[in-house]
Structures are given as structure tokens and as C-alpha cells.
Amino acid sequence: MHMRRTLNKFCPTESLTSRSIHLARKDALRKFYECGFSYSRKLTAHKSCVNYLAFSRHDGRWLASAGDDCRVLLWDFSQEDVFCPGHAFAGPMGNVLALDFSATNQYLYSGGADDVILKYDVSTLREVGSTSIGERGWLSSVERYGDHDDSVRALTCHPYEDEIFLSASEDGKLILHDSRAGGRMSAAQGTLQHTAAFTGVQHHPVMEHVFATCDVHGHVCLRDTRMTFGPLSRRSNGGIVRVYNTAKLSRKSAGYLSNPESSSLTFDRDGGKLAVTFLHYFPTIYATSDPHPLAICTGRNTPDGTSISPPQRSYTNSCTMKSGAFGGPGMDEDDMYGAGSDDFRAYVWRIPPLMTLQGLRQEITPHDWYAREWPDTVAFAEGKWESRYVPYEISMPLARLNGHKSIVNSVAIHPSLLHIATSGVERQIILHSPTPSSPAVQNLLFTSPTVRTLQPQDLAAQRTFLRALFGPHPTLHEDDVEDDEGEDETISLFDHILRAEGEADVFTIRRWGEDSAEDSEDEDETIIDVFDTSLSDSSL
């Protein structure tokens, strides 16, 4: 009998066709994005500020949201038209500040101001029916972690193991949690005590031992779990394998350096890019392999290139804890970055390739810095007498996302659908799209380009502010979620904060000196190759 052999041969025609389809798809998506995210819908179910948003990994079926109303909600994007949450989790006793899905989306973890982390089992959830959340009941956590002594600022799950995650807290503790049977480390071995409050932690999406941290002193470090945790005899340098040039800004007109607080960070899907959110400064993009910044994301121009001039407001971050996100729905890379702003918008920037940004970054020697004039130039420096690095400014955002009436804190980009979710001081989540319909939502409305202006405080605003300030909970209102009075009080409270703290100059409020106590706590900047496989894996 004759057997025909089937071989996987290279076919030039098929290869060219596939590449042509890929390029055509990519071009079509870019045209969608360039038109902006002009359509939106408000998702209403929370009773207070929505502090954090997170899409589930891979297919993005679930959008998790949580905030000051001490509830965690799940919105099901496998529906044909998302209007209301499909499931609600009970348990938090304080404002929820962080969420993350585990590697296979089996679990959802939450943490916040009650110092506690809760673990919820998402794998048992069924399809959403026609009943309301109240009729279905609230779901409880399956595990509780009470190892922190202060607010949990960030959570990040292991890229491959559902039972492993890291938590970072204002108590200065970084904790590795491993719920697998027969956990390999004691509580002490799984804890790193830092000298400053942590503000962020993020697992590398590919390299399972690598993660990044940031703290209130502005330090951003890449660490390795094998040297961060375990017996003291195996720990080294706090696990640090790279220290990023973040903690000192330099401006020629100021005779000193500035030390901005790094309030959150995130990797892109491949782990090649790292974005840091700074308080009183701009989101800054790094290549994971390069300690010096490549780009800053500003809003000096509108998406059509028009320059922003006073009294128009643009991107600022002075008042609240914000978290940004990389994304590229439908694309093979994350070439977009989104972040919320104090001007009642969210911003989305297109990030050029890393090689392009490296060519656009400017390096200035100490001699040239002090010998020449550098008007309006802000550079990053590792010390007063070190070289200055001026990252490329991405001054024209791809889109400005409107629809909010107050500060936007959280941005989440769907991994496959053309949607961006934003939230903040208001109780509503806004779902943005470049089209009026998608597989998950129908008949979105055109978003008004008008943005509420921040007015000088009058007598009526003063009374509203005082009611919010001295009420039982400054931002939580147990009345109907559709009622605007309670939300107006919350917005007035943050308006007052904006008038007092908004537009602050980082060089005025975060001054760093050569003899500052903060800098004396810097950890040793020894660089270790994170790809070195000679390190043992037994600590995980």
C-alpha cells in the first residue's frame, strides 16, 4: 500500500497572504484608534469611588471593579450587552485599593485599607441569569490573608501559578504568598521588610522569578524572588537586580534635585516595557533592560496636535493614587499606554518602539549640563554630578477619554476587544469604545467632548464640601446609586483638594538634597543578571 507523506512545507504564497492579512488587520485597527474612543457607556452599581479596575487575563471575560464601598464586582464581557455586574463579592472592611486575577483566572485577589487580602474563587461562577445581584446573594472569599499591618497598596499574581502572588503594603512589607499544599517557606522567609512604604509591585509577565517594586521615596527596582525571599543565608541585596533612574529629577533653574514619589508601575504584556506613575510628574516609560527613562507621556497637545494653553487644563497627577495600563487590543504587542488624570479625563498614548525611543533620548554630560543653558529642560539624574538623561516627550496623546466629572484614577484596557474602562472619584465606571457596538456591548452613546471646569469655591461649594468632610464616610453614600446628591458631595471634596494641591510643582514640594535622609536609605545598586539560571529554584 502506498503511504503518502504529509510534510509541513514552507509555502511562500501562504506566508505572503498571512502577512498581508496581518498587516491589513493592523492597519484597520490603527485607523479605529486614531479616530479616538468617542463612544461610551456608564456602568453603574458602586456606591462610592471606584479605585481599581482589572480585566481577567487572556480573553478578558471579566472586569473586576472595587473601591470605597467595600465591595468587589464582576462584569461579564461574554454577554452580548453589558449593563450590570454579574457577581458581587463580600468581605472587605475598608477601601479596596488593589485587584488581580491569578494566572488562569481561577482566583481573584483583593486588598486595601483594612490591611487584609481576600481570595475569591472565580472558576465556580456560572453564566449570568436574569436575576439581580441581591437575589443571587453575595459571594464570600475562600481564603483570608492578614499578614500586613497597614494598607495593602498592590497585588500581583505569579504568571503561571494560581496559588502564588506578591503583596506590597504601606507597612514596608513585601510578602510572597504561596498557598500550594506543603508551602515551602515560613512567614518570615516569605517577607521582605523595607525601610519605606511600598506603593507598587508587579510580576514580570514572562520571567517567573522577576518582579518590580516602587516606594514612596521614588525608588523603582527590579528584583528576583530567589534572592528576595527564603533563608537569610540565601538572600542578597534585597533581591535587587536593577535600580531604575527614577528618584531624582534635575532642572537647571533649580539648584537642587527633586524626588518624586512613584505611586504605581506596570509591565506591558511581553515584559519589555515598564511604566511608572509619578505623583506630581508624568507617566514615564522604561525599557526593562535599561535603567534610564526613554519617554514621558504628557498632554501638552491635543490628539490633533493643537497646543494646550492656559486656562485649559491637561494631564496632571497631584491628588490621588492612580494606576495605568498597557494595552493593544487586537494587536500583537502593547503599543498603547493609558492613565487617569486630575483634569477629569483619561489619556491614551501610542508608545513608539523601544529602539526608536532610545535614539530620541538625550544624554547630557555633567560638564555640558552646568556649562550651557537648558531652558525648561527636566532631566533624570542619579546624582547631582552624574550625567543627565532627557527622555523623549510623547506630547500628543492618541486619545483623551471624556465623560467623567472628577478625577480619573484607574484605567484598564481589554486584552482583545476595542474597549477601555476608566474609573475614579465618581461611582460610575465608564466603558469607552471607538465604535458604537461590539461583541460585548450594543448601542453605545457618543461621548460629549465637553469637560467640567474646576470653578473657584463659592459659598454653596463650601457647604457641600463641609457636608462631605464631616459626614459619617467622606466618600460613601448608601442612598440609591442613581442619586446625584451624595456624589456631588464627594466631587466637591476632591475639588477642594485640587484647588489646594493641584498643579503643584514637583521641584517645590519634593526637594531632594545630597544629605537627605531618604537617599541614605538607598539600597546597594549591584546589578545581577536576571537570566542567570545557576540560581536555585527551590525558594519557590
mmCIF file of all heavy atoms in Angstrom, residues 194-200 212-223 240 242-248 259-265 274 276-278 286 510 512 516-523 525:
data_model
loop_
_atom_site.group_PDB
_atom_site.id
_atom_site.type_symbol
_atom_site.label_atom_id
_atom_site.label_comp_id
_atom_site.label_asym_id
_atom_site.label_seq_id
_atom_site.Cartn_x
_atom_site.Cartn_y
_atom_site.Cartn_z
ATOM 1 N N HIS A 194 11.083 46.444 54.192
ATOM 2 C CA HIS A 194 11.752 47.571 53.551
ATOM 3 C C HIS A 194 11.765 48.760 54.505
ATOM 4 O O HIS A 194 11.009 48.815 55.484
ATOM 5 C CB HIS A 194 10.993 47.916 52.265
ATOM 6 C CG HIS A 194 11.676 48.901 51.371
ATOM 7 N ND1 HIS A 194 13.038 48.930 51.165
ATOM 8 C CD2 HIS A 194 11.172 49.902 50.602
ATOM 9 C CE1 HIS A 194 13.341 49.901 50.315
ATOM 10 N NE2 HIS A 194 12.220 50.509 49.962
ATOM 11 N N THR A 195 12.611 49.751 54.228
ATOM 12 C CA THR A 195 12.705 50.935 55.085
ATOM 13 C C THR A 195 11.665 51.995 54.755
ATOM 14 O O THR A 195 11.536 52.980 55.481
ATOM 15 C CB THR A 195 14.104 51.568 54.940
ATOM 16 O OG1 THR A 195 14.360 51.842 53.555
ATOM 17 C CG2 THR A 195 15.169 50.626 55.476
ATOM 18 N N ALA A 196 10.934 51.820 53.657
ATOM 19 C CA ALA A 196 9.919 52.790 53.249
ATOM 20 C C ALA A 196 8.646 52.060 52.867
ATOM 21 O O ALA A 196 8.652 50.854 52.612
ATOM 22 C CB ALA A 196 10.423 53.629 52.069
ATOM 23 N N ALA A 197 7.537 52.799 52.839
ATOM 24 C CA ALA A 197 6.264 52.215 52.430
ATOM 25 C C ALA A 197 6.301 51.860 50.956
ATOM 26 O O ALA A 197 6.708 52.658 50.116
ATOM 27 C CB ALA A 197 5.133 53.202 52.706
ATOM 28 N N PHE A 198 5.883 50.648 50.636
ATOM 29 C CA PHE A 198 5.764 50.254 49.241
ATOM 30 C C PHE A 198 4.492 50.857 48.646
ATOM 31 O O PHE A 198 3.462 50.959 49.315
ATOM 32 C CB PHE A 198 5.701 48.732 49.104
ATOM 33 C CG PHE A 198 7.032 48.050 49.183
ATOM 34 C CD1 PHE A 198 7.362 47.251 50.277
ATOM 35 C CD2 PHE A 198 7.961 48.189 48.164
ATOM 36 C CE1 PHE A 198 8.583 46.603 50.347
ATOM 37 C CE2 PHE A 198 9.196 47.550 48.224
ATOM 38 C CZ PHE A 198 9.512 46.762 49.323
ATOM 39 N N THR A 199 4.568 51.240 47.372
ATOM 40 C CA THR A 199 3.398 51.761 46.669
ATOM 41 C C THR A 199 2.997 50.888 45.485
ATOM 42 O O THR A 199 1.909 51.060 44.950
ATOM 43 C CB THR A 199 3.656 53.189 46.163
ATOM 44 O OG1 THR A 199 4.833 53.185 45.337
ATOM 45 C CG2 THR A 199 3.865 54.153 47.323
ATOM 46 N N GLY A 200 3.861 49.972 45.079
ATOM 47 C CA GLY A 200 3.517 49.130 43.945
ATOM 48 C C GLY A 200 4.392 47.906 43.848
ATOM 49 O O GLY A 200 5.541 47.899 44.314
ATOM 50 N N ALA A 212 8.937 43.788 39.827
ATOM 51 C CA ALA A 212 9.362 45.172 40.046
ATOM 52 C C ALA A 212 8.600 45.758 41.224
ATOM 53 O O ALA A 212 7.442 45.395 41.488
ATOM 54 C CB ALA A 212 9.117 46.017 38.796
ATOM 55 N N THR A 213 9.258 46.680 41.944
ATOM 56 C CA THR A 213 8.627 47.363 43.076
ATOM 57 C C THR A 213 8.870 48.859 42.982
ATOM 58 O O THR A 213 9.833 49.317 42.357
ATOM 59 C CB THR A 213 9.198 46.864 44.417
ATOM 60 O OG1 THR A 213 10.610 47.157 44.474
ATOM 61 C CG2 THR A 213 8.978 45.377 44.598
ATOM 62 N N CYS A 214 7.996 49.620 43.632
ATOM 63 C CA CYS A 214 8.223 51.053 43.800
ATOM 64 C C CYS A 214 7.793 51.458 45.195
ATOM 65 O O CYS A 214 6.994 50.769 45.845
ATOM 66 C CB CYS A 214 7.492 51.874 42.736
ATOM 67 S SG CYS A 214 5.702 51.679 42.693
ATOM 68 N N ASP A 215 8.329 52.601 45.680
ATOM 69 C CA ASP A 215 8.018 53.024 47.041
ATOM 70 C C ASP A 215 7.826 54.536 47.110
ATOM 71 O O ASP A 215 7.976 55.248 46.115
ATOM 72 C CB ASP A 215 9.098 52.551 48.022
ATOM 73 C CG ASP A 215 10.470 53.155 47.766
ATOM 74 O OD1 ASP A 215 10.552 54.307 47.305
ATOM 75 O OD2 ASP A 215 11.489 52.477 48.037
ATOM 76 N N VAL A 216 7.483 55.024 48.306
ATOM 77 C CA VAL A 216 7.158 56.441 48.476
ATOM 78 C C VAL A 216 8.369 57.341 48.275
ATOM 79 O O VAL A 216 8.219 58.545 48.064
ATOM 80 C CB VAL A 216 6.543 56.719 49.861
ATOM 81 C CG1 VAL A 216 5.190 56.062 49.992
ATOM 82 C CG2 VAL A 216 7.481 56.256 50.990
ATOM 83 N N HIS A 217 9.567 56.801 48.345
ATOM 84 C CA HIS A 217 10.778 57.595 48.117
ATOM 85 C C HIS A 217 11.139 57.694 46.641
ATOM 86 O O HIS A 217 12.164 58.287 46.296
ATOM 87 C CB HIS A 217 11.953 57.001 48.895
ATOM 88 C CG HIS A 217 11.828 57.179 50.377
ATOM 89 N ND1 HIS A 217 12.661 56.536 51.274
ATOM 90 C CD2 HIS A 217 10.975 57.918 51.121
ATOM 91 C CE1 HIS A 217 12.323 56.871 52.508
ATOM 92 N NE2 HIS A 217 11.293 57.703 52.435
ATOM 93 N N GLY A 218 10.323 57.088 45.790
ATOM 94 C CA GLY A 218 10.573 57.187 44.364
ATOM 95 C C GLY A 218 11.469 56.101 43.809
ATOM 96 O O GLY A 218 11.794 56.117 42.619
ATOM 97 N N HIS A 219 11.875 55.152 44.623
ATOM 98 C CA HIS A 219 12.777 54.101 44.158
ATOM 99 C C HIS A 219 11.998 53.028 43.405
ATOM 100 O O HIS A 219 10.980 52.510 43.890
ATOM 101 C CB HIS A 219 13.506 53.459 45.342
ATOM 102 C CG HIS A 219 14.275 54.437 46.160
ATOM 103 N ND1 HIS A 219 14.332 54.373 47.538
ATOM 104 C CD2 HIS A 219 14.993 55.526 45.803
ATOM 105 C CE1 HIS A 219 15.072 55.372 47.990
ATOM 106 N NE2 HIS A 219 15.482 56.077 46.956
ATOM 107 N N VAL A 220 12.468 52.675 42.226
ATOM 108 C CA VAL A 220 11.887 51.607 41.418
ATOM 109 C C VAL A 220 12.971 50.574 41.168
ATOM 110 O O VAL A 220 14.043 50.907 40.651
ATOM 111 C CB VAL A 220 11.338 52.141 40.083
ATOM 112 C CG1 VAL A 220 10.816 51.001 39.221
ATOM 113 C CG2 VAL A 220 10.229 53.163 40.333
ATOM 114 N N CYS A 221 12.707 49.333 41.546
ATOM 115 C CA CYS A 221 13.723 48.284 41.465
ATOM 116 C C CYS A 221 13.167 47.047 40.786
ATOM 117 O O CYS A 221 11.990 46.706 40.946
ATOM 118 C CB CYS A 221 14.204 47.888 42.864
ATOM 119 S SG CYS A 221 14.923 49.240 43.826
ATOM 120 N N LEU A 222 14.021 46.367 40.047
ATOM 121 C CA LEU A 222 13.721 45.052 39.514
ATOM 122 C C LEU A 222 14.353 44.039 40.466
ATOM 123 O O LEU A 222 15.530 44.167 40.823
ATOM 124 C CB LEU A 222 14.303 44.908 38.108
ATOM 125 C CG LEU A 222 13.753 43.788 37.223
ATOM 126 C CD1 LEU A 222 12.296 44.064 36.855
ATOM 127 C CD2 LEU A 222 14.592 43.639 35.962
ATOM 128 N N ARG A 223 13.565 43.056 40.900
ATOM 129 C CA ARG A 223 14.045 42.102 41.903
ATOM 130 C C ARG A 223 13.834 40.675 41.419
ATOM 131 O O ARG A 223 13.073 40.419 40.489
ATOM 132 C CB ARG A 223 13.309 42.308 43.238
ATOM 133 C CG ARG A 223 13.470 43.708 43.833
ATOM 134 C CD ARG A 223 12.632 43.874 45.090
ATOM 135 N NE ARG A 223 12.574 45.241 45.558
ATOM 136 C CZ ARG A 223 13.252 45.738 46.593
ATOM 137 N NH1 ARG A 223 14.066 44.953 47.284
ATOM 138 N NH2 ARG A 223 13.112 47.009 46.951
ATOM 139 N N ILE A 240 17.508 42.786 44.685
ATOM 140 C CA ILE A 240 17.578 43.783 43.609
ATOM 141 C C ILE A 240 18.544 43.340 42.512
ATOM 142 O O ILE A 240 19.692 42.997 42.779
ATOM 143 C CB ILE A 240 17.997 45.153 44.159
ATOM 144 C CG1 ILE A 240 16.933 45.694 45.110
ATOM 145 C CG2 ILE A 240 18.225 46.149 43.021
ATOM 146 C CD1 ILE A 240 17.326 46.987 45.798
ATOM 147 N N ARG A 242 18.230 45.280 39.394
ATOM 148 C CA ARG A 242 18.393 46.535 38.648
ATOM 149 C C ARG A 242 17.680 47.654 39.405
ATOM 150 O O ARG A 242 16.579 47.471 39.913
ATOM 151 C CB ARG A 242 17.838 46.424 37.229
ATOM 152 C CG ARG A 242 17.850 47.759 36.470
ATOM 153 C CD ARG A 242 17.704 47.587 34.963
ATOM 154 N NE ARG A 242 18.937 47.072 34.373
ATOM 155 C CZ ARG A 242 19.079 45.881 33.836
ATOM 156 N NH1 ARG A 242 18.040 45.062 33.797
ATOM 157 N NH2 ARG A 242 20.225 45.478 33.336
ATOM 158 N N VAL A 243 18.350 48.807 39.494
ATOM 159 C CA VAL A 243 17.750 50.006 40.068
ATOM 160 C C VAL A 243 17.525 50.999 38.930
ATOM 161 O O VAL A 243 18.458 51.323 38.188
ATOM 162 C CB VAL A 243 18.650 50.637 41.146
ATOM 163 C CG1 VAL A 243 18.057 51.951 41.650
ATOM 164 C CG2 VAL A 243 18.839 49.664 42.303
ATOM 165 N N TYR A 244 16.317 51.479 38.795
ATOM 166 C CA TYR A 244 15.990 52.398 37.712
ATOM 167 C C TYR A 244 16.228 53.843 38.138
ATOM 168 O O TYR A 244 16.086 54.201 39.314
ATOM 169 C CB TYR A 244 14.536 52.195 37.266
ATOM 170 C CG TYR A 244 14.326 50.869 36.596
ATOM 171 C CD1 TYR A 244 13.882 49.762 37.322
ATOM 172 C CD2 TYR A 244 14.617 50.682 35.246
ATOM 173 C CE1 TYR A 244 13.719 48.526 36.729
ATOM 174 C CE2 TYR A 244 14.459 49.441 34.638
ATOM 175 C CZ TYR A 244 14.010 48.375 35.386
ATOM 176 O OH TYR A 244 13.867 47.140 34.796
ATOM 177 N N ASN A 245 16.601 54.624 37.156
ATOM 178 C CA ASN A 245 16.884 56.049 37.377
ATOM 179 C C ASN A 245 15.547 56.787 37.470
ATOM 180 O O ASN A 245 15.012 57.256 36.476
ATOM 181 C CB ASN A 245 17.731 56.568 36.206
ATOM 182 C CG ASN A 245 18.124 58.020 36.368
ATOM 183 O OD1 ASN A 245 17.757 58.687 37.324
ATOM 184 N ND2 ASN A 245 18.872 58.532 35.401
ATOM 185 N N THR A 246 15.010 56.860 38.684
ATOM 186 C CA THR A 246 13.684 57.450 38.889
ATOM 187 C C THR A 246 13.652 58.521 39.970
ATOM 188 O O THR A 246 12.816 59.427 39.918
ATOM 189 C CB THR A 246 12.676 56.367 39.314
ATOM 190 O OG1 THR A 246 13.151 55.729 40.524
ATOM 191 C CG2 THR A 246 12.501 55.316 38.237
ATOM 192 N N ALA A 247 14.492 58.396 40.957
ATOM 193 C CA ALA A 247 14.269 59.122 42.195
ATOM 194 C C ALA A 247 14.756 60.562 42.199
ATOM 195 O O ALA A 247 14.548 61.267 43.180
ATOM 196 C CB ALA A 247 14.928 58.374 43.370
ATOM 197 N N LYS A 248 15.405 61.003 41.121
ATOM 198 C CA LYS A 248 15.941 62.376 41.144
ATOM 199 C C LYS A 248 15.716 63.062 39.797
ATOM 200 O O LYS A 248 16.224 62.618 38.775
ATOM 201 C CB LYS A 248 17.432 62.355 41.486
ATOM 202 C CG LYS A 248 17.752 61.675 42.818
ATOM 203 C CD LYS A 248 19.248 61.564 43.038
ATOM 204 C CE LYS A 248 19.544 60.727 44.273
ATOM 205 N NZ LYS A 248 19.236 59.299 44.066
ATOM 206 N N ASN A 259 12.660 64.834 44.109
ATOM 207 C CA ASN A 259 12.479 63.410 44.373
ATOM 208 C C ASN A 259 10.985 63.050 44.317
ATOM 209 O O ASN A 259 10.306 63.034 45.336
ATOM 210 C CB ASN A 259 13.067 63.085 45.753
ATOM 211 C CG ASN A 259 12.686 61.720 46.266
ATOM 212 O OD1 ASN A 259 12.211 61.609 47.387
ATOM 213 N ND2 ASN A 259 12.884 60.695 45.472
ATOM 214 N N PRO A 260 10.442 62.789 43.124
ATOM 215 C CA PRO A 260 9.011 62.481 43.026
ATOM 216 C C PRO A 260 8.678 61.100 43.579
ATOM 217 O O PRO A 260 9.483 60.173 43.502
ATOM 218 C CB PRO A 260 8.736 62.542 41.520
ATOM 219 C CG PRO A 260 10.040 62.168 40.895
ATOM 220 C CD PRO A 260 11.115 62.724 41.805
ATOM 221 N N GLU A 261 7.487 60.976 44.134
ATOM 222 C CA GLU A 261 7.028 59.683 44.633
ATOM 223 C C GLU A 261 6.537 58.831 43.474
ATOM 224 O O GLU A 261 5.766 59.282 42.632
ATOM 225 C CB GLU A 261 5.883 59.874 45.633
ATOM 226 C CG GLU A 261 5.265 58.570 46.118
ATOM 227 C CD GLU A 261 4.090 58.776 47.044
ATOM 228 O OE1 GLU A 261 4.081 59.793 47.771
ATOM 229 O OE2 GLU A 261 3.167 57.930 47.048
ATOM 230 N N SER A 262 6.988 57.604 43.413
ATOM 231 C CA SER A 262 6.487 56.662 42.407
ATOM 232 C C SER A 262 5.283 55.943 43.018
ATOM 233 O O SER A 262 5.419 55.225 43.996
ATOM 234 C CB SER A 262 7.578 55.667 42.010
ATOM 235 O OG SER A 262 8.208 55.121 43.153
ATOM 236 N N SER A 263 4.106 56.161 42.439
ATOM 237 C CA SER A 263 2.883 55.688 43.085
ATOM 238 C C SER A 263 2.349 54.370 42.526
ATOM 239 O O SER A 263 1.506 53.741 43.160
ATOM 240 C CB SER A 263 1.794 56.763 43.000
ATOM 241 O OG SER A 263 1.570 57.172 41.676
ATOM 242 N N SER A 264 2.792 53.953 41.344
ATOM 243 C CA SER A 264 2.414 52.644 40.812
ATOM 244 C C SER A 264 3.288 52.333 39.605
ATOM 245 O O SER A 264 3.972 53.224 39.078
ATOM 246 C CB SER A 264 0.935 52.602 40.411
ATOM 247 O OG SER A 264 0.674 53.446 39.309
ATOM 248 N N LEU A 265 3.266 51.069 39.180
ATOM 249 C CA LEU A 265 4.026 50.665 37.990
ATOM 250 C C LEU A 265 3.356 49.480 37.330
ATOM 251 O O LEU A 265 2.544 48.784 37.942
ATOM 252 C CB LEU A 265 5.488 50.355 38.338
ATOM 253 C CG LEU A 265 5.840 49.485 39.552
ATOM 254 C CD1 LEU A 265 5.432 48.044 39.364
ATOM 255 C CD2 LEU A 265 7.315 49.572 39.853
ATOM 256 N N LEU A 274 8.301 48.994 30.913
ATOM 257 C CA LEU A 274 7.854 49.243 32.274
ATOM 258 C C LEU A 274 7.426 50.700 32.365
ATOM 259 O O LEU A 274 8.174 51.602 31.965
ATOM 260 C CB LEU A 274 8.988 48.968 33.268
ATOM 261 C CG LEU A 274 8.705 49.229 34.755
ATOM 262 C CD1 LEU A 274 7.665 48.242 35.282
ATOM 263 C CD2 LEU A 274 10.001 49.126 35.567
ATOM 264 N N VAL A 276 6.026 53.805 34.886
ATOM 265 C CA VAL A 276 5.965 54.249 36.285
ATOM 266 C C VAL A 276 5.093 55.494 36.367
ATOM 267 O O VAL A 276 5.281 56.443 35.606
ATOM 268 C CB VAL A 276 7.369 54.554 36.839
ATOM 269 C CG1 VAL A 276 7.283 54.991 38.293
ATOM 270 C CG2 VAL A 276 8.282 53.341 36.703
ATOM 271 N N THR A 277 4.130 55.466 37.279
ATOM 272 C CA THR A 277 3.290 56.629 37.545
ATOM 273 C C THR A 277 3.906 57.414 38.695
ATOM 274 O O THR A 277 4.106 56.867 39.786
ATOM 275 C CB THR A 277 1.860 56.207 37.916
ATOM 276 O OG1 THR A 277 1.311 55.433 36.853
ATOM 277 C CG2 THR A 277 0.980 57.427 38.157
ATOM 278 N N PHE A 278 4.209 58.682 38.443
ATOM 279 C CA PHE A 278 4.794 59.542 39.467
ATOM 280 C C PHE A 278 3.759 60.540 39.972
ATOM 281 O O PHE A 278 2.962 61.070 39.194
ATOM 282 C CB PHE A 278 5.989 60.329 38.909
ATOM 283 C CG PHE A 278 7.208 59.500 38.667
ATOM 284 C CD1 PHE A 278 7.579 59.141 37.374
ATOM 285 C CD2 PHE A 278 7.999 59.075 39.720
ATOM 286 C CE1 PHE A 278 8.712 58.383 37.139
ATOM 287 C CE2 PHE A 278 9.137 58.308 39.492
ATOM 288 C CZ PHE A 278 9.494 57.964 38.201
ATOM 289 N N TYR A 286 10.070 53.055 30.595
ATOM 290 C CA TYR A 286 11.407 52.476 30.627
ATOM 291 C C TYR A 286 11.436 51.200 29.804
ATOM 292 O O TYR A 286 10.423 50.501 29.683
ATOM 293 C CB TYR A 286 11.817 52.109 32.068
ATOM 294 C CG TYR A 286 11.997 53.283 32.994
ATOM 295 C CD1 TYR A 286 10.892 53.907 33.563
ATOM 296 C CD2 TYR A 286 13.264 53.764 33.309
ATOM 297 C CE1 TYR A 286 11.046 54.986 34.418
ATOM 298 C CE2 TYR A 286 13.433 54.839 34.163
ATOM 299 C CZ TYR A 286 12.320 55.444 34.714
ATOM 300 O OH TYR A 286 12.477 56.518 35.558
ATOM 301 N N ARG A 510 8.804 68.441 46.459
ATOM 302 C CA ARG A 510 9.587 67.216 46.667
ATOM 303 C C ARG A 510 11.060 67.513 46.412
ATOM 304 O O ARG A 510 11.679 67.000 45.489
ATOM 305 C CB ARG A 510 9.091 66.100 45.739
ATOM 306 C CG ARG A 510 7.699 65.602 46.041
ATOM 307 C CD ARG A 510 7.660 64.639 47.190
ATOM 308 N NE ARG A 510 8.397 63.417 46.928
ATOM 309 C CZ ARG A 510 8.356 62.344 47.709
ATOM 310 N NH1 ARG A 510 7.618 62.354 48.800
ATOM 311 N NH2 ARG A 510 9.055 61.267 47.412
ATOM 312 N N TRP A 512 15.006 67.297 46.964
ATOM 313 C CA TRP A 512 15.975 66.301 47.440
ATOM 314 C C TRP A 512 17.333 66.972 47.584
ATOM 315 O O TRP A 512 17.762 67.750 46.723
ATOM 316 C CB TRP A 512 16.087 65.146 46.447
ATOM 317 C CG TRP A 512 17.121 64.105 46.806
ATOM 318 C CD1 TRP A 512 16.937 63.016 47.583
ATOM 319 C CD2 TRP A 512 18.493 64.082 46.386
ATOM 320 N NE1 TRP A 512 18.102 62.304 47.685
ATOM 321 C CE2 TRP A 512 19.090 62.949 46.964
ATOM 322 C CE3 TRP A 512 19.280 64.930 45.603
ATOM 323 C CZ2 TRP A 512 20.413 62.614 46.770
ATOM 324 C CZ3 TRP A 512 20.613 64.599 45.411
ATOM 325 C CH2 TRP A 512 21.164 63.448 45.986
ATOM 326 N N SER A 516 20.131 64.156 52.183
ATOM 327 C CA SER A 516 18.791 63.832 52.671
ATOM 328 C C SER A 516 18.779 62.451 53.293
ATOM 329 O O SER A 516 19.478 61.533 52.892
ATOM 330 C CB SER A 516 17.772 63.899 51.541
ATOM 331 O OG SER A 516 17.804 62.735 50.768
ATOM 332 N N ALA A 517 17.901 62.309 54.297
ATOM 333 C CA ALA A 517 17.779 61.024 54.975
ATOM 334 C C ALA A 517 17.220 59.966 54.047
ATOM 335 O O ALA A 517 17.548 58.793 54.135
ATOM 336 C CB ALA A 517 16.867 61.168 56.204
ATOM 337 N N GLU A 518 16.359 60.405 53.129
ATOM 338 C CA GLU A 518 15.762 59.446 52.210
ATOM 339 C C GLU A 518 16.825 58.764 51.365
ATOM 340 O O GLU A 518 16.822 57.561 51.179
ATOM 341 C CB GLU A 518 14.737 60.140 51.308
ATOM 342 C CG GLU A 518 13.474 60.559 52.035
ATOM 343 C CD GLU A 518 12.442 61.137 51.090
ATOM 344 O OE1 GLU A 518 12.736 61.188 49.881
ATOM 345 O OE2 GLU A 518 11.364 61.525 51.545
ATOM 346 N N ASP A 519 17.763 59.551 50.854
ATOM 347 C CA ASP A 519 18.763 58.965 49.964
ATOM 348 C C ASP A 519 19.710 58.050 50.711
ATOM 349 O O ASP A 519 20.230 57.098 50.156
ATOM 350 C CB ASP A 519 19.552 60.072 49.263
ATOM 351 C CG ASP A 519 20.452 59.504 48.178
ATOM 352 O OD1 ASP A 519 19.912 58.983 47.192
ATOM 353 O OD2 ASP A 519 21.680 59.566 48.344
ATOM 354 N N SER A 520 19.916 58.325 52.009
ATOM 355 C CA SER A 520 20.835 57.490 52.772
ATOM 356 C C SER A 520 20.303 56.076 52.936
ATOM 357 O O SER A 520 21.040 55.167 53.276
ATOM 358 C CB SER A 520 21.069 58.100 54.160
ATOM 359 O OG SER A 520 19.864 58.071 54.922
ATOM 360 N N GLU A 521 18.985 55.896 52.663
ATOM 361 C CA GLU A 521 18.394 54.578 52.799
ATOM 362 C C GLU A 521 18.417 53.795 51.487
ATOM 363 O O GLU A 521 17.890 52.706 51.394
ATOM 364 C CB GLU A 521 16.947 54.716 53.293
ATOM 365 C CG GLU A 521 16.867 55.302 54.700
ATOM 366 C CD GLU A 521 15.424 55.553 55.124
ATOM 367 O OE1 GLU A 521 14.539 55.516 54.251
ATOM 368 O OE2 GLU A 521 15.182 55.767 56.306
ATOM 369 N N ASP A 522 18.966 54.387 50.456
ATOM 370 C CA ASP A 522 19.040 53.683 49.171
ATOM 371 C C ASP A 522 19.761 52.353 49.343
ATOM 372 O O ASP A 522 20.746 52.249 50.073
ATOM 373 C CB ASP A 522 19.823 54.510 48.134
ATOM 374 C CG ASP A 522 18.938 55.567 47.508
ATOM 375 O OD1 ASP A 522 17.786 55.689 47.947
ATOM 376 O OD2 ASP A 522 19.434 56.253 46.591
ATOM 377 N N GLU A 523 19.277 51.367 48.640
ATOM 378 C CA GLU A 523 19.910 50.062 48.722
ATOM 379 C C GLU A 523 21.037 49.965 47.697
ATOM 380 O O GLU A 523 21.094 50.678 46.718
ATOM 381 C CB GLU A 523 18.864 48.976 48.498
ATOM 382 C CG GLU A 523 17.761 49.024 49.554
ATOM 383 C CD GLU A 523 16.772 47.886 49.392
ATOM 384 O OE1 GLU A 523 17.183 46.729 49.553
ATOM 385 O OE2 GLU A 523 15.603 48.156 49.124
ATOM 386 N N GLU A 525 23.235 49.185 44.671
ATOM 387 C CA GLU A 525 22.773 49.079 43.295
ATOM 388 C C GLU A 525 23.574 48.033 42.514
ATOM 389 O O GLU A 525 23.920 48.223 41.368
ATOM 390 C CB GLU A 525 22.839 50.443 42.604
ATOM 391 C CG GLU A 525 21.969 51.488 43.278
ATOM 392 C CD GLU A 525 21.935 52.793 42.515
ATOM 393 O OE1 GLU A 525 22.515 52.846 41.407
ATOM 394 O OE2 GLU A 525 21.352 53.762 42.993
#
